[in-house]
């Protein structure tokens, strides 16, 4: 091909990303020692760079910047002294911002779920639980309309991994085996709240989410330990 | 938060001076773009989280390498992010790559890259030239660049031997270069 030498093909494929691991490593080494080859690579980077504009933006998790600052802080060698202190302060600020954002999201979700899911429910029979992973950010909001025996579950930005489903379980105060309430969709899901269980048990139970095979547990029992756990609170007071 | 290329260059210069506030502004302005690029290639979110962290650590440490004469700030950042993501998927065992490839649907569910025609003049020129390629060569280039597919993955997808895919890639890229320089 006229105007397309072996080196050019290598540089172009390096930028395209189709070299295998060994070829890629060799090309990177060569970039450091062979200016002409490095120039070819940079020309191809510029040629193909506009394609990056075709990739939709995607917001990273809210606590990620704090993790970056923590990493920088841990490897202090490259950060000048004063800036470490400023970075440390920033870590605290970001952790706080992330926590407040999560709490606000939970409060908002509770309000929205309660209002949207059960607009006509009687006021003193609404319960809400925020299911958390330890001290982490809230991840599911469960809202119970006891009068109509309905549960609404709203995930807060947590999609199940591919080919897996999140499933909601009720663990009664009577220590009976966990009862499956249902599989949680990626959006707010309304599930019937266990018609054969008495209301006191439903409102007093602990709720937990497990990760199950796609479509839910095959045998009606949780496949693993609960990932997210919480108890209902009466919010109609 | 949208910054022009010039504003972003100014922010980068402050990061060169190790200004933590500028670093935060840079992160706010660019992280969604870079995360989008990384997730498209590595698919797995927790791997993508890790890579995004590494990318910004590298940016903080090597921001002095940025040369405004050579590339725009976002191109420089996107190149770092893409390189790191491609390194990751090339390092994976083939069976893992195979498993994940089945879940990738090129230009299927979401908007086709060609829909973004009017984003920028450079993109318009590039897309105009990509359109002159046979559809297979064009899609192969898009799949490789935007989704990080390897020659082997492309060979499986198009049911062709790897050397054929390699030839298509080289021809497609040569044709693209000729078109862009005309």
């Amino acid at each position: 091909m006229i105007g397309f030498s072996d080196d050019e093909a290598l540089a172009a494929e390096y930028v395209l990303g189709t070299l295998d691991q060994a070829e890629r490593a060799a090309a990177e080494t060569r970039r450091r020692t062979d200016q002409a080859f490095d120039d070819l690579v940079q020309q191809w980077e510029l040629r193909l760079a506009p394609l990056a504009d075709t990739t939709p933006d995607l917001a990273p998790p809210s606590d990620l910047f704090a993790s970056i600052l923590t990493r920088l802080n841990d490897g202090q060698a490259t950060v000048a002294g004063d800036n470490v202190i400023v970075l440390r302060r920033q870590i605290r600020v970001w952790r706080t911002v992330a926590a407040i954002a999560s709490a606000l999201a939970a409060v908002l979700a509770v309000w929205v779920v309660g209002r949207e899911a059960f607009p006509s429910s009687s006021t003193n029979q609404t319960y809400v639980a925020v299911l958390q992973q330890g001290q982490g950010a809230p991840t599911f909001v469960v809202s119970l309309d006891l009068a109509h025996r309905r549960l609404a579950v709203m995930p807060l930005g947590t999609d199940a991994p591919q080919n897996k489903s999140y499933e909601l379980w009720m663990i009664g105060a009577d220590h009976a085996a966990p009862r499956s309430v249902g599989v949680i969709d990626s959006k707010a899901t309304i599930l019937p709240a266990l018609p054969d269980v008495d209301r006191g048990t439903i409102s007093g139970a602990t709720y937990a989410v497990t990760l199950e095979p796609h479509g839910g547990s095959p045998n009606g029992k949780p496949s693993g330990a609960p990932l997210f756990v919480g108890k209902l609170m009466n919010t109609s007071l | 938060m949208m910054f022009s290329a010039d504003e972003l260059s100014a922010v980068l210069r402050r990061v060169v001076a190790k200004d933590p506030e500028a670093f935060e502004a840079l992160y706010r302005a660019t992280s969604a773009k870079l995360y989008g690029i990384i997730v498209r290639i590595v698919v797995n979110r927790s791997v993508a989280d890790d890579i995004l962290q590494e990318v910004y650590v590298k940016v903080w440490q090597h921001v002095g390498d940025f040369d405004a004469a050579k590339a725009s700030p976002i191109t420089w950042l996107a190149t770092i992010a893409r390189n790191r993501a491609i390194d990751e998927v090339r390092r994976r065992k083939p069976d893992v790559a195979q498993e994940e490839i089945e879940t990738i649907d090129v230009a299927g569910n979401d908007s086709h890259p060609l829909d973004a025609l009017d984003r920028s003049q450079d993109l318009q020129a590039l897309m105009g030239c990509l359109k002159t390629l046979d559809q297979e060569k064009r899609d192969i280039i898009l799949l490789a660049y935007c989704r990080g597919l390897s020659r082997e993955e492309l060979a499986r997808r198009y049911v062709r031997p790897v050397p054929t895919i390699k030839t298509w890639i080289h021809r497609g890229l040569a044709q693209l270069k000729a078109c862009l320089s005309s």
Side-chain angles (χ1 to χ4, degrees), chain B:
Chain B
M1 197 182 322
M2 292 298 291
F3 282 114
S4 71
D6 284 350
E7 287 166 336
L8 215 47
S9 289
V11 171
L12 267 181
R13 279 195 296 276
R14 284 168 55 208
V15 177
V16 174
K18 298 295 179 206
D19 174 347
E21 282 179 13
F23 186 55
E24 183 177 331
L26 180 74
Y27 178 86
R28 283 175 186 265
T30 58
S31 56
K33 166 63 62 191
L34 302 196
Y35 195 60
I37 289 170
I38 293 166
V39 167
R40 278 315 210 40
I41 292 172
V42 304
V43 182
N44 181 302
R45 291 291 175 98
S46 68
V47 173
D49 291 355
D50 214 45
I51 290 176
L52 190 70
Q53 291 182 38
E54 286 178 26
V55 166
Y56 280 96
V57 167
K58 189 173 178 186
V59 166
W60 175 261
Q61 291 171 339
H62 298 276
V63 67
D65 295 347
F66 171 67
D67 182 350
K70 284 186 174 169
S72 73
I74 196 68
T75 296
W76 183 68
L77 294 165
T79 302
I80 294 173
R82 249 195 96 247
N83 273 338
R84 183 61 196 83
I86 297 275
D87 283 343
E88 178 65 30
V89 290
R90 288 297 158 272
R91 204 168 55 198
R92 275 185 208 163
K93 292 193 180 83
D95 56 329
V96 176
Q98 171 62 18
E99 191 180 305
E100 299 213 342
I101 183 84
E102 304 304 337
T103 67
I104 297 176
D105 181 16
V106 61
N109 294 332
D110 31 42
S111 64
H112 193 277
L114 292 182
D115 292 343
L117 197 62
D118 56 358
R119 293 270 179 89
S120 71
Q121 284 190 342
D122 287 346
L123 183 59
Q124 257 182 12
L126 182 58
M127 287 302 180
C129 285
L130 274 170
K131 278 182 165 179
T132 67
L133 269 54
D134 302 341
Q135 177 159 2
E136 278 172 334
K137 291 199 191 85
R138 178 176 73 213
D139 284 351
I140 277 178
I141 288 172
L142 290 172
L143 278 167
Y145 192 89
C146 298
R147 304 298 182 99
L149 265 63
S150 68
R151 290 178 198 137
E152 288 73 19
E153 289 162 340
L154 291 164
R156 277 195 292 272
R157 180 179 279 261
Y158 287 92
V159 199
R160 290 286 196 286
V162 171
T164 303
I165 295 294
K166 192 170 169 178
T167 305
W168 284 3
I169 290 172
H170 288 182
R171 285 200 186 137
L173 290 169
Q175 215 178 319
L176 204 57
K177 185 190 173 191
C179 174
L180 285 168
S181 57
S182 67

Side-chain angles (χ1 to χ4, degrees), chain A residues 13-225:
Chain A
E13 256 205 280
Y14 169 76
V15 173
L16 189 64
T18 43
L19 297 182
D20 67 31
Q21 194 185 359
E23 292 168 327
R24 209 171 149 72
E28 266 155 23
T29 306
R30 198 169 152 199
R31 285 188 72 179
R32 287 194 283 274
T33 53
D34 181 344
Q35 185 62 49
F37 179 70
D38 190 49
D39 288 346
L40 285 173
V41 168
Q42 291 192 35
Q43 286 161 18
W44 273 100
E45 281 175 349
L46 287 182
R47 248 179 226 125
L48 298 180
L51 281 178
D53 274 349
T54 65
T55 303
D57 289 7
L58 188 64
S62 60
D63 57 354
L64 209 84
F65 189 67
S67 305
I68 291 167
L69 296 179
T70 305
R71 279 198 193 194
L72 285 172
N73 213 23
D74 290 345
Q76 289 175 17
T78 54
V79 186
D82 285 353
N83 288 318
V84 172
I85 295 161
V86 182
L87 282 173
R88 277 206 189 107
R89 197 159 60 228
Q90 274 192 309
I91 292 171
R92 280 200 301 276
V93 170
W94 271 81
R95 288 258 142 85
T96 309
V97 167
I100 291 171
S102 299
L104 280 177
V107 169
L108 193 65
V110 167
W111 184 73
V112 171
V113 169
R115 200 186 52 141
E116 299 289 321
F118 316 126
S120 61
S121 64
S122 58
T123 48
N124 62 349
Q125 300 219 349
T126 308
Y127 294 77
V128 164
V130 176
L131 306 192
Q132 288 182 299
Q133 192 168 32
Q135 295 299 307
T139 313
F140 292 91
V141 175
V142 176
S143 179
L144 168 69
D145 171 11
L146 198 53
H148 297 92
R149 302 182 79 104
R150 287 178 304 188
L151 271 164
V153 189
M154 172 172 268
L156 297 178
T158 312
D159 281 343
Q162 271 149 19
N163 302 319
K164 302 272 186 186
S165 297
Y166 284 123
E167 187 162 351
L168 180 68
W169 304 84
M170 185 202 78
I171 304 160
D174 54 1
H175 300 293
R179 304 276 303 257
S180 174
V181 183
V183 172
I184 302 167
D185 206 297
S186 59
K187 299 192 186 90
T189 310
I190 296 185
L191 301 163
L194 302 164
D196 56 341
V197 179
D198 71 79
R199 292 180 176 188
T201 303
I202 292 174
S203 59
T206 298
Y207 289 83
V209 170
T210 60
L211 194 58
E212 301 291 343
H214 184 69
S217 165
N219 58 8
K221 294 177 188 162
S223 302

